[in-house]
PDB file of all heavy atoms in Angstrom:
ATOM      1  N   ASP A   1     -10.043  -7.184 -10.822  1.00 47.00           N
ATOM      2  CA  ASP A   1     -10.566  -8.286 -11.346  1.00 47.00           C
ATOM      3  C   ASP A   1     -10.319  -9.623 -10.604  1.00 47.00           C
ATOM      4  O   ASP A   1     -10.540 -10.591 -10.958  1.00 47.00           O
ATOM      5  CB  ASP A   1     -10.224  -8.567 -12.821  1.00 47.00           C
ATOM      6  CG  ASP A   1      -8.687  -8.818 -12.816  1.00 47.00           C
ATOM      7  OD1 ASP A   1      -7.966  -8.407 -11.896  1.00 47.00           O
ATOM      8  OD2 ASP A   1      -8.139  -9.116 -13.933  1.00 47.00           O
ATOM      9  N   PHE A   2     -10.008  -9.423  -9.246  1.00 42.00           N
ATOM     10  CA  PHE A   2      -9.735 -10.510  -8.392  1.00 42.00           C
ATOM     11  C   PHE A   2     -10.862 -10.776  -7.540  1.00 42.00           C
ATOM     12  O   PHE A   2     -11.592  -9.768  -7.185  1.00 42.00           O
ATOM     13  CB  PHE A   2      -8.381 -10.515  -7.708  1.00 42.00           C
ATOM     14  CG  PHE A   2      -8.295  -9.304  -6.774  1.00 42.00           C
ATOM     15  CD1 PHE A   2      -8.892  -9.316  -5.455  1.00 42.00           C
ATOM     16  CD2 PHE A   2      -7.847  -8.051  -7.296  1.00 42.00           C
ATOM     17  CE1 PHE A   2      -8.759  -8.092  -4.703  1.00 42.00           C
ATOM     18  CE2 PHE A   2      -7.766  -6.921  -6.445  1.00 42.00           C
ATOM     19  CZ  PHE A   2      -8.224  -6.957  -5.131  1.00 42.00           C
ATOM     20  N   ARG A   3     -10.960 -12.005  -6.976  1.00 42.00           N
ATOM     21  CA  ARG A   3     -12.111 -12.279  -6.154  1.00 42.00           C
ATOM     22  C   ARG A   3     -11.606 -12.789  -4.769  1.00 42.00           C
ATOM     23  O   ARG A   3     -12.120 -12.255  -3.830  1.00 42.00           O
ATOM     24  CB  ARG A   3     -13.039 -13.372  -6.735  1.00 42.00           C
ATOM     25  CG  ARG A   3     -13.693 -12.856  -8.009  1.00 42.00           C
ATOM     26  CD  ARG A   3     -14.733 -11.734  -7.688  1.00 42.00           C
ATOM     27  NE  ARG A   3     -15.503 -11.378  -8.891  1.00 42.00           N
ATOM     28  CZ  ARG A   3     -15.171 -10.344  -9.568  1.00 42.00           C
ATOM     29  NH1 ARG A   3     -13.955  -9.736  -9.208  1.00 42.00           N
ATOM     30  NH2 ARG A   3     -15.706  -9.888 -10.634  1.00 42.00           N
ATOM     31  N   HIS A   4     -10.689 -13.796  -4.773  1.00 44.00           N
ATOM     32  CA  HIS A   4     -10.273 -14.359  -3.579  1.00 44.00           C
ATOM     33  C   HIS A   4      -8.996 -13.604  -3.155  1.00 44.00           C
ATOM     34  O   HIS A   4      -8.062 -13.420  -3.924  1.00 44.00           O
ATOM     35  CB  HIS A   4     -10.089 -15.920  -3.706  1.00 44.00           C
ATOM     36  CG  HIS A   4      -9.724 -16.573  -2.364  1.00 44.00           C
ATOM     37  ND1 HIS A   4      -8.578 -16.565  -1.828  1.00 44.00           N
ATOM     38  CD2 HIS A   4     -10.633 -17.206  -1.542  1.00 44.00           C
ATOM     39  CE1 HIS A   4      -8.598 -17.234  -0.703  1.00 44.00           C
ATOM     40  NE2 HIS A   4      -9.919 -17.579  -0.472  1.00 44.00           N
ATOM     41  N   PRO A   5      -8.792 -13.210  -1.990  1.00 44.00           N
ATOM     42  CA  PRO A   5      -7.670 -12.518  -1.501  1.00 44.00           C
ATOM     43  C   PRO A   5      -6.275 -13.167  -1.789  1.00 44.00           C
ATOM     44  O   PRO A   5      -5.329 -12.531  -2.173  1.00 44.00           O
ATOM     45  CB  PRO A   5      -7.849 -12.145   0.036  1.00 44.00           C
ATOM     46  CG  PRO A   5      -8.915 -13.032   0.550  1.00 44.00           C
ATOM     47  CD  PRO A   5      -9.809 -13.505  -0.795  1.00 44.00           C
ATOM     48  N   CYS A   6      -6.339 -14.460  -1.486  1.00 44.00           N
ATOM     49  CA  CYS A   6      -5.073 -15.258  -1.623  1.00 44.00           C
ATOM     50  C   CYS A   6      -4.690 -15.387  -3.057  1.00 44.00           C
ATOM     51  O   CYS A   6      -3.615 -15.154  -3.427  1.00 44.00           O
ATOM     52  CB  CYS A   6      -5.062 -16.662  -1.001  1.00 44.00           C
ATOM     53  SG  CYS A   6      -5.330 -16.547   0.881  1.00 44.00           S
ATOM     54  N   THR A   7      -5.620 -15.718  -3.813  1.00 44.00           N
ATOM     55  CA  THR A   7      -5.263 -15.875  -5.340  1.00 44.00           C
ATOM     56  C   THR A   7      -5.066 -14.560  -6.033  1.00 44.00           C
ATOM     57  O   THR A   7      -4.221 -14.361  -6.953  1.00 44.00           O
ATOM     58  CB  THR A   7      -6.447 -16.672  -5.982  1.00 44.00           C
ATOM     59  OG1 THR A   7      -7.631 -15.940  -5.853  1.00 44.00           O
ATOM     60  CG2 THR A   7      -6.712 -17.928  -5.551  1.00 44.00           C
ATOM     61  N   GLY A   8      -5.819 -13.603  -5.527  1.00 42.00           N
ATOM     62  CA  GLY A   8      -5.552 -12.292  -6.178  1.00 42.00           C
ATOM     63  C   GLY A   8      -4.203 -11.782  -5.868  1.00 42.00           C
ATOM     64  O   GLY A   8      -3.537 -11.210  -6.750  1.00 42.00           O
ATOM     65  N   ILE A   9      -3.688 -11.862  -4.566  1.00 41.00           N
ATOM     66  CA  ILE A   9      -2.374 -11.367  -4.409  1.00 41.00           C
ATOM     67  C   ILE A   9      -1.400 -12.167  -5.028  1.00 41.00           C
ATOM     68  O   ILE A   9      -0.317 -11.543  -5.564  1.00 41.00           O
ATOM     69  CB  ILE A   9      -2.182 -11.542  -2.663  1.00 41.00           C
ATOM     70  CG1 ILE A   9      -3.218 -10.539  -2.134  1.00 41.00           C
ATOM     71  CG2 ILE A   9      -0.860 -11.122  -2.463  1.00 41.00           C
ATOM     72  CD1 ILE A   9      -3.251 -10.586  -0.560  1.00 41.00           C
ATOM     73  N   SER A  10      -1.447 -13.446  -5.098  1.00 41.00           N
ATOM     74  CA  SER A  10      -0.516 -14.354  -5.828  1.00 41.00           C
ATOM     75  C   SER A  10      -0.503 -14.044  -7.248  1.00 41.00           C
ATOM     76  O   SER A  10       0.634 -13.865  -7.855  1.00 41.00           O
ATOM     77  CB  SER A  10      -0.824 -15.830  -5.431  1.00 41.00           C
ATOM     78  OG  SER A  10       0.081 -16.617  -6.312  1.00 41.00           O
ATOM     79  N   GLY A  11      -1.683 -13.746  -7.800  1.00 41.00           N
ATOM     80  CA  GLY A  11      -1.631 -13.526  -9.241  1.00 41.00           C
ATOM     81  C   GLY A  11      -1.005 -12.164  -9.630  1.00 41.00           C
ATOM     82  O   GLY A  11      -0.278 -11.924 -10.388  1.00 41.00           O
ATOM     83  N   SER A  12      -1.202 -11.164  -8.687  1.00 41.00           N
ATOM     84  CA  SER A  12      -0.638  -9.773  -8.735  1.00 41.00           C
ATOM     85  C   SER A  12       0.787  -9.856  -8.754  1.00 41.00           C
ATOM     86  O   SER A  12       1.489  -9.257  -9.396  1.00 41.00           O
ATOM     87  CB  SER A  12      -1.248  -8.828  -7.876  1.00 41.00           C
ATOM     88  OG  SER A  12      -1.044  -9.134  -6.544  1.00 41.00           O
ATOM     89  N   THR A  13       1.252 -10.652  -7.789  1.00 40.00           N
ATOM     90  CA  THR A  13       2.738 -10.802  -7.652  1.00 40.00           C
ATOM     91  C   THR A  13       3.335 -11.396  -8.813  1.00 40.00           C
ATOM     92  O   THR A  13       4.386 -10.932  -9.363  1.00 40.00           O
ATOM     93  CB  THR A  13       3.133 -11.656  -6.299  1.00 40.00           C
ATOM     94  OG1 THR A  13       2.377 -11.125  -5.219  1.00 40.00           O
ATOM     95  CG2 THR A  13       4.599 -11.588  -6.099  1.00 40.00           C
ATOM     96  N   THR A  14       2.648 -12.423  -9.345  1.00 39.00           N
ATOM     97  CA  THR A  14       3.400 -13.022 -10.536  1.00 39.00           C
ATOM     98  C   THR A  14       3.305 -12.087 -11.655  1.00 39.00           C
ATOM     99  O   THR A  14       4.209 -12.048 -12.482  1.00 39.00           O
ATOM    100  CB  THR A  14       2.428 -14.347 -10.843  1.00 39.00           C
ATOM    101  OG1 THR A  14       2.607 -15.215  -9.655  1.00 39.00           O
ATOM    102  CG2 THR A  14       3.130 -15.086 -12.066  1.00 39.00           C
ATOM    103  N   ALA A  15       2.127 -11.408 -11.808  1.00 39.00           N
ATOM    104  CA  ALA A  15       2.018 -10.449 -12.950  1.00 39.00           C
ATOM    105  C   ALA A  15       2.998  -9.294 -12.940  1.00 39.00           C
ATOM    106  O   ALA A  15       3.576  -8.896 -13.915  1.00 39.00           O
ATOM    107  CB  ALA A  15       0.582  -9.930 -13.059  1.00 39.00           C
ATOM    108  N   ILE A  16       3.117  -8.643 -11.826  1.00 40.00           N
ATOM    109  CA  ILE A  16       4.093  -7.568 -11.596  1.00 40.00           C
ATOM    110  C   ILE A  16       5.476  -8.058 -11.759  1.00 40.00           C
ATOM    111  O   ILE A  16       6.423  -7.465 -12.539  1.00 40.00           O
ATOM    112  CB  ILE A  16       3.882  -6.887 -10.412  1.00 40.00           C
ATOM    113  CG1 ILE A  16       2.474  -6.142 -10.455  1.00 40.00           C
ATOM    114  CG2 ILE A  16       4.844  -5.718 -10.199  1.00 40.00           C
ATOM    115  CD1 ILE A  16       2.031  -5.632  -9.084  1.00 40.00           C
ATOM    116  N   GLY A  17       5.887  -9.085 -11.120  1.00 41.00           N
ATOM    117  CA  GLY A  17       7.210  -9.583 -11.093  1.00 41.00           C
ATOM    118  C   GLY A  17       8.323  -8.792 -10.657  1.00 41.00           C
ATOM    119  O   GLY A  17       9.497  -9.041 -10.862  1.00 41.00           O
ATOM    120  N   GLY A  18       8.074  -7.763  -9.825  1.00 43.00           N
ATOM    121  CA  GLY A  18       9.079  -6.902  -9.340  1.00 43.00           C
ATOM    122  C   GLY A  18       9.656  -7.349  -7.926  1.00 43.00           C
ATOM    123  O   GLY A  18       9.004  -8.196  -7.357  1.00 43.00           O
ATOM    124  N   SER A  19      10.860  -6.746  -7.710  1.00 45.00           N
ATOM    125  CA  SER A  19      11.496  -7.154  -6.435  1.00 45.00           C
ATOM    126  C   SER A  19      10.865  -6.562  -5.266  1.00 45.00           C
ATOM    127  O   SER A  19      11.033  -7.039  -4.220  1.00 45.00           O
ATOM    128  CB  SER A  19      12.957  -6.692  -6.527  1.00 45.00           C
ATOM    129  OG  SER A  19      12.926  -5.331  -6.555  1.00 45.00           O
ATOM    130  N   VAL A  20       9.941  -5.572  -5.539  1.00 41.00           N
ATOM    131  CA  VAL A  20       9.330  -5.046  -4.412  1.00 41.00           C
ATOM    132  C   VAL A  20       8.260  -5.956  -3.795  1.00 41.00           C
ATOM    133  O   VAL A  20       8.088  -6.014  -2.556  1.00 41.00           O
ATOM    134  CB  VAL A  20       8.454  -3.710  -4.835  1.00 41.00           C
ATOM    135  CG1 VAL A  20       7.569  -3.195  -3.790  1.00 41.00           C
ATOM    136  CG2 VAL A  20       9.460  -2.780  -5.393  1.00 41.00           C
ATOM    137  N   PHE A  21       7.732  -6.815  -4.515  1.00 45.00           N
ATOM    138  CA  PHE A  21       6.691  -7.809  -4.070  1.00 45.00           C
ATOM    139  C   PHE A  21       7.242  -9.154  -3.759  1.00 45.00           C
ATOM    140  O   PHE A  21       6.566 -10.134  -3.603  1.00 45.00           O
ATOM    141  CB  PHE A  21       5.531  -7.805  -5.063  1.00 45.00           C
ATOM    142  CG  PHE A  21       4.962  -6.606  -5.319  1.00 45.00           C
ATOM    143  CD1 PHE A  21       5.350  -5.934  -6.492  1.00 45.00           C
ATOM    144  CD2 PHE A  21       4.060  -6.029  -4.414  1.00 45.00           C
ATOM    145  CE1 PHE A  21       4.654  -4.718  -6.732  1.00 45.00           C
ATOM    146  CE2 PHE A  21       3.515  -4.862  -4.781  1.00 45.00           C
ATOM    147  CZ  PHE A  21       3.805  -4.127  -6.029  1.00 45.00           C
ATOM    148  N   THR A  22       8.498  -9.365  -3.583  1.00 49.00           N
ATOM    149  CA  THR A  22       9.145 -10.546  -3.261  1.00 49.00           C
ATOM    150  C   THR A  22       8.717 -11.049  -1.877  1.00 49.00           C
ATOM    151  O   THR A  22       8.539 -12.142  -1.571  1.00 49.00           O
ATOM    152  CB  THR A  22      10.750 -10.455  -3.379  1.00 49.00           C
ATOM    153  OG1 THR A  22      11.066 -10.088  -4.643  1.00 49.00           O
ATOM    154  CG2 THR A  22      11.293 -11.808  -3.254  1.00 49.00           C
ATOM    155  N   ARG A  23       8.731  -9.941  -0.952  1.00 48.00           N
ATOM    156  CA  ARG A  23       8.259 -10.306   0.398  1.00 48.00           C
ATOM    157  C   ARG A  23       6.871 -10.929   0.528  1.00 48.00           C
ATOM    158  O   ARG A  23       6.469 -11.696   1.196  1.00 48.00           O
ATOM    159  CB  ARG A  23       8.432  -9.040   1.259  1.00 48.00           C
ATOM    160  CG  ARG A  23       8.186  -9.333   2.675  1.00 48.00           C
ATOM    161  CD  ARG A  23       8.556  -8.084   3.504  1.00 48.00           C
ATOM    162  NE  ARG A  23       8.191  -8.287   4.982  1.00 48.00           N
ATOM    163  CZ  ARG A  23       8.354  -7.401   5.957  1.00 48.00           C
ATOM    164  NH1 ARG A  23       8.679  -6.133   5.534  1.00 48.00           N
ATOM    165  NH2 ARG A  23       8.094  -7.661   7.125  1.00 48.00           N
ATOM    166  N   LEU A  24       5.979 -10.322  -0.364  1.00 48.00           N
ATOM    167  CA  LEU A  24       4.618 -10.844  -0.392  1.00 48.00           C
ATOM    168  C   LEU A  24       4.577 -12.265  -0.726  1.00 48.00           C
ATOM    169  O   LEU A  24       3.766 -13.171  -0.101  1.00 48.00           O
ATOM    170  CB  LEU A  24       3.813 -10.021  -1.584  1.00 48.00           C
ATOM    171  CG  LEU A  24       2.376 -10.453  -1.734  1.00 48.00           C
ATOM    172  CD1 LEU A  24       1.538 -10.229  -0.373  1.00 48.00           C
ATOM    173  CD2 LEU A  24       1.785  -9.599  -2.945  1.00 48.00           C
ATOM    174  N   THR A  25       5.321 -12.831  -1.736  1.00 52.00           N
ATOM    175  CA  THR A  25       5.343 -14.285  -2.083  1.00 52.00           C
ATOM    176  C   THR A  25       5.844 -15.052  -0.866  1.00 52.00           C
ATOM    177  O   THR A  25       5.219 -16.176  -0.716  1.00 52.00           O
ATOM    178  CB  THR A  25       6.145 -14.353  -3.194  1.00 52.00           C
ATOM    179  OG1 THR A  25       5.687 -13.484  -4.329  1.00 52.00           O
ATOM    180  CG2 THR A  25       6.133 -15.856  -3.806  1.00 52.00           C
ATOM    181  N   THR A  26       6.804 -14.612  -0.170  1.00 53.00           N
ATOM    182  CA  THR A  26       7.385 -15.254   0.960  1.00 53.00           C
ATOM    183  C   THR A  26       6.323 -15.482   2.012  1.00 53.00           C
ATOM    184  O   THR A  26       6.233 -16.579   2.652  1.00 53.00           O
ATOM    185  CB  THR A  26       8.581 -14.633   1.455  1.00 53.00           C
ATOM    186  OG1 THR A  26       9.486 -14.292   0.495  1.00 53.00           O
ATOM    187  CG2 THR A  26       9.219 -15.386   2.595  1.00 53.00           C
ATOM    188  N   VAL A  27       5.591 -14.415   2.251  1.00 48.00           N
ATOM    189  CA  VAL A  27       4.537 -14.500   3.321  1.00 48.00           C
ATOM    190  C   VAL A  27       3.494 -15.483   2.845  1.00 48.00           C
ATOM    191  O   VAL A  27       2.898 -16.157   3.710  1.00 48.00           O
ATOM    192  CB  VAL A  27       3.949 -13.092   3.531  1.00 48.00           C
ATOM    193  CG1 VAL A  27       2.611 -13.119   4.454  1.00 48.00           C
ATOM    194  CG2 VAL A  27       5.021 -12.182   4.211  1.00 48.00           C
ATOM    195  N   GLU A  28       3.188 -15.526   1.539  1.00 51.00           N
ATOM    196  CA  GLU A  28       2.057 -16.432   1.088  1.00 51.00           C
ATOM    197  C   GLU A  28       2.467 -17.873   1.255  1.00 51.00           C
ATOM    198  O   GLU A  28       1.748 -18.678   1.542  1.00 51.00           O
ATOM    199  CB  GLU A  28       1.830 -16.076  -0.351  1.00 51.00           C
ATOM    200  CG  GLU A  28       0.801 -16.924  -0.968  1.00 51.00           C
ATOM    201  CD  GLU A  28       0.562 -16.635  -2.440  1.00 51.00           C
ATOM    202  OE1 GLU A  28       1.330 -15.714  -3.104  1.00 51.00           O
ATOM    203  OE2 GLU A  28      -0.280 -17.148  -3.110  1.00 51.00           O
ATOM    204  N   GLU A  29       3.736 -18.241   0.927  1.00 52.00           N
ATOM    205  CA  GLU A  29       4.249 -19.541   1.018  1.00 52.00           C
ATOM    206  C   GLU A  29       4.228 -19.951   2.583  1.00 52.00           C
ATOM    207  O   GLU A  29       3.973 -21.145   2.830  1.00 52.00           O
ATOM    208  CB  GLU A  29       5.752 -19.665   0.559  1.00 52.00           C
ATOM    209  CG  GLU A  29       5.731 -19.501  -0.946  1.00 52.00           C
ATOM    210  CD  GLU A  29       7.176 -19.434  -1.412  1.00 52.00           C
ATOM    211  OE1 GLU A  29       8.093 -19.520  -0.673  1.00 52.00           O
ATOM    212  OE2 GLU A  29       7.326 -19.393  -2.643  1.00 52.00           O
ATOM    213  N   GLN A  30       4.555 -19.179   3.376  1.00 51.00           N
ATOM    214  CA  GLN A  30       4.584 -19.437   4.851  1.00 51.00           C
ATOM    215  C   GLN A  30       3.292 -19.670   5.397  1.00 51.00           C
ATOM    216  O   GLN A  30       3.019 -20.674   6.381  1.00 51.00           O
ATOM    217  CB  GLN A  30       5.112 -18.294   5.727  1.00 51.00           C
ATOM    218  CG  GLN A  30       6.750 -18.143   5.391  1.00 51.00           C
ATOM    219  CD  GLN A  30       7.323 -17.009   6.183  1.00 51.00           C
ATOM    220  OE1 GLN A  30       6.597 -16.273   6.949  1.00 51.00           O
ATOM    221  NE2 GLN A  30       8.568 -16.791   6.042  1.00 51.00           N
TER     222      GLN A  30
END
């Protein structure tokens, strides 16, 4: 149900909240 890649990834990371996707959030902030 996502459209934009950046918002979709950020939303999925927030929704899952697992430690596996911590690196994904770091890459998004950089």
Side-chain angles (χ1 to χ4, degrees):
D1 58 351
F2 59 89
R3 295 293 180 267
H4 194 273
C6 292
T7 57
I9 295 173
S10 178
S12 64
T13 307
T14 306
I16 295 173
S19 60
V20 177
F21 302 100
T22 305
R23 186 175 180 183
L24 176 61
T25 307
T26 305
V27 174
E28 181 183 3
E29 292 176 356
Q30 292 177 354

